[in-house]
């Protein structure tokens, strides 16, 4: 797929200054990291973008690219099948192209909801609010909030999207703010209020913090959570005579 880098629909200089003024740690991250940039992918219709997202779900990028190329070959003029063409394709043909049964059902539902007007055209989507688009698009089988959020960021360039379930954003937050645990989605959502109306930019820098720290460091974040839960479980199993005692932990217990 070709990519373009159209002008962002918001002023990046103002966004960075606003975030830096509200959040000292984020200000340092912005100062020490490469310039914010997103390569907004080719402006396909929401139907085509979501069809590609469905194909890519839960499998490697290389395998997904091969499967999606086969799906596109079932359309005309080198483009993915139109909604009308998709509904006419036999499920066996789509399965032969590499789609699972669940993905076949998802693509069929996407096609039908596009025909019904639930899934908007690109022109309509550009005029809709983030909330309206999320509400509309998550009604499609197999499409969740995260997929819609990626569409809002990388297809439409929306400035105020916070993917609270994204692993990279959560671990990047832990790195940036010196936490040994990942935030709960509700905690990240509340914390992110300080970043409005540029939560997309803040999220992008959380991704960079995650990448900069590297897997060796960020893997410890989840392990720390696991150790904490294990320690609590072991403590709960101690005899009553041992509970509540002060002093160093018993040798049989791992330190947290």
């Amino acid at each position: 797929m070709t990519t373009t880098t159209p002008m962002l629909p918001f002023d990046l200089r103002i966004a960075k200054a606003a975030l830096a003024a509200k959040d000292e740690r984020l200000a340092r991250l912005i100062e020490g990291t490469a310039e914010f940039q997103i390569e907004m992918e080719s402006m396909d219709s929401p139907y085509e973008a979501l069809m590609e997202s469905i194909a890519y779900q839960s499998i490697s990028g290389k395998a997904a690219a091969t499967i999606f190329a086969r799906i596109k070959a079932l359309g005309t003029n080198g483009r993915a099948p139109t909604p009308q063409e998709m509904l006419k394709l036999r499920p066996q043909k789509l399965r032969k192209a590499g789609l699972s049964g669940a993905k076949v059902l998802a693509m069929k539902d996407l096609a039908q909801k596009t025909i019904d007007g639930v899934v908007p055209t690109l022109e309509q989507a550009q005029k809709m609010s983030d909330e309206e688009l999320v509400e509309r698009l998550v009604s499609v089988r197999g499409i969740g909030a995260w997929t819609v959020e990626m569409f809002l960021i990388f297809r439409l360039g929306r400035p105020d999207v916070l993917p609270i379930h994204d692993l990279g954003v959560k671990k990047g937050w832990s790195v940036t703010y010196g936490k040994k645990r990942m935030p709960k989605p509700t905690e990240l959502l509340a914390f992110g209020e300080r970043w409005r109306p540029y939560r997309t930019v803040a999220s992008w820098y959380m991704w960079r913090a995650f990448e900069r720290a590297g897997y060796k460091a960020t893997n410890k974040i989840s392990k720390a959570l696991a150790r904490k839960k294990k320690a609590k479980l072991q403590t709960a199993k101690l005899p009553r005579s041992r509970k509540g005692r002060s002093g160093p932990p018993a040798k049989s217990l791992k330190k947290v």
Side-chain angles (χ1 to χ4, degrees):
M1 175 177 289
T2 58
T3 59
T4 58
T5 50
M7 183 179 294
L8 288 169
F10 60 92
D11 190 316
L12 180 59
R13 180 182 57 83
I14 292 175
K16 288 168 58 179
L19 289 169
K22 295 177 181 179
D23 189 324
E24 185 178 341
R25 293 206 181 192
L26 182 54
R28 292 200 296 267
L29 179 60
I30 291 172
E31 181 66 26
T33 308
E35 181 77 357
F36 171 92
Q37 59 178 339
I38 54 173
E39 290 190 352
M40 291 168 60
E41 298 178 25
S42 59
M43 298 300 282
D44 295 330
S45 67
Y47 164 74
E48 291 175 298
L50 294 176
M51 182 191 300
E52 184 176 9
S53 295
I54 291 169
Y56 273 72
Q57 287 174 355
S58 304
I59 57 176
S60 70
K62 185 176 181 180
T66 299
I67 291 171
F68 191 61
R70 293 174 189 157
I71 299 299
K72 289 180 69 174
L74 299 175
T76 55
N77 300 321
R79 296 187 69 87
T82 65
Q84 292 78 9
E85 290 173 335
M86 177 58 69
L87 290 179
K88 291 178 181 178
L89 286 169
R90 294 175 62 82
Q92 294 89 335
K93 199 164 189 178
L94 293 168
R95 291 297 302 273
K96 189 176 180 180
L99 293 179
S100 66
K103 289 184 178 181
V104 170
L105 292 175
M107 285 198 180
K108 294 281 188 180
D109 189 51
L110 172 64
Q112 186 61 61
K113 283 188 167 68
T114 300
I115 292 172
D116 294 341
V118 176
V119 176
T121 64
L122 180 60
E123 184 178 1
Q124 290 169 338
Q126 289 171 331
K127 296 176 182 178
M128 295 170 67
S129 69
D130 295 352
E131 293 74 18
E132 287 177 304
L133 282 168
V134 171
E135 184 179 359
R136 289 270 200 104
L137 299 181
V138 297
S139 71
V140 177
R141 185 182 185 121
I143 298 296
W146 183 88
T147 299
V148 181
E149 288 161 353
M150 296 305 104
F151 172 76
L152 292 172
I153 293 172
F154 295 104
R155 301 284 178 150
L156 299 182
R158 294 293 173 89
D160 195 34
V161 181
L162 176 58
I164 58 175
H165 297 282
D166 186 275
L167 186 65
V169 172
K170 291 195 292 184
K171 287 198 172 185
W173 179 89
S174 300
V175 170
T176 302
Y177 299 95
K179 305 294 184 180
K180 294 181 179 180
R181 56 173 180 80
M182 287 189 292
K184 295 179 180 179
T186 52
E187 181 184 2
L188 183 57
L189 183 64
F191 186 93
E193 284 299 311
R194 71 187 64 187
W195 298 334
R196 283 185 183 273
Y198 300 110
R199 292 181 297 172
T200 293
V201 180
S203 298
W204 189 88
Y205 280 105
M206 294 303 107
W207 279 320
R208 302 292 79 75
F210 168 67
E211 290 175 350
R212 233 175 29 166
Y215 286 107
K216 185 176 181 180
T218 55
N219 281 344
K220 293 180 181 179
I221 296 171
S222 57
K223 288 178 182 178
L225 277 175
R227 286 198 300 270
K228 187 174 182 180
K229 289 179 180 178
K230 185 175 181 180
K232 284 184 176 180
L233 180 62
Q234 289 174 322
T235 301
K237 290 180 178 179
L238 286 174
R240 288 192 176 185
S241 60
R242 290 280 297 280
K243 289 183 180 180
R245 287 186 178 180
S246 60
K251 291 182 180 180
S252 60
L253 296 180
K254 291 184 178 179
K255 293 183 180 179
V256 179

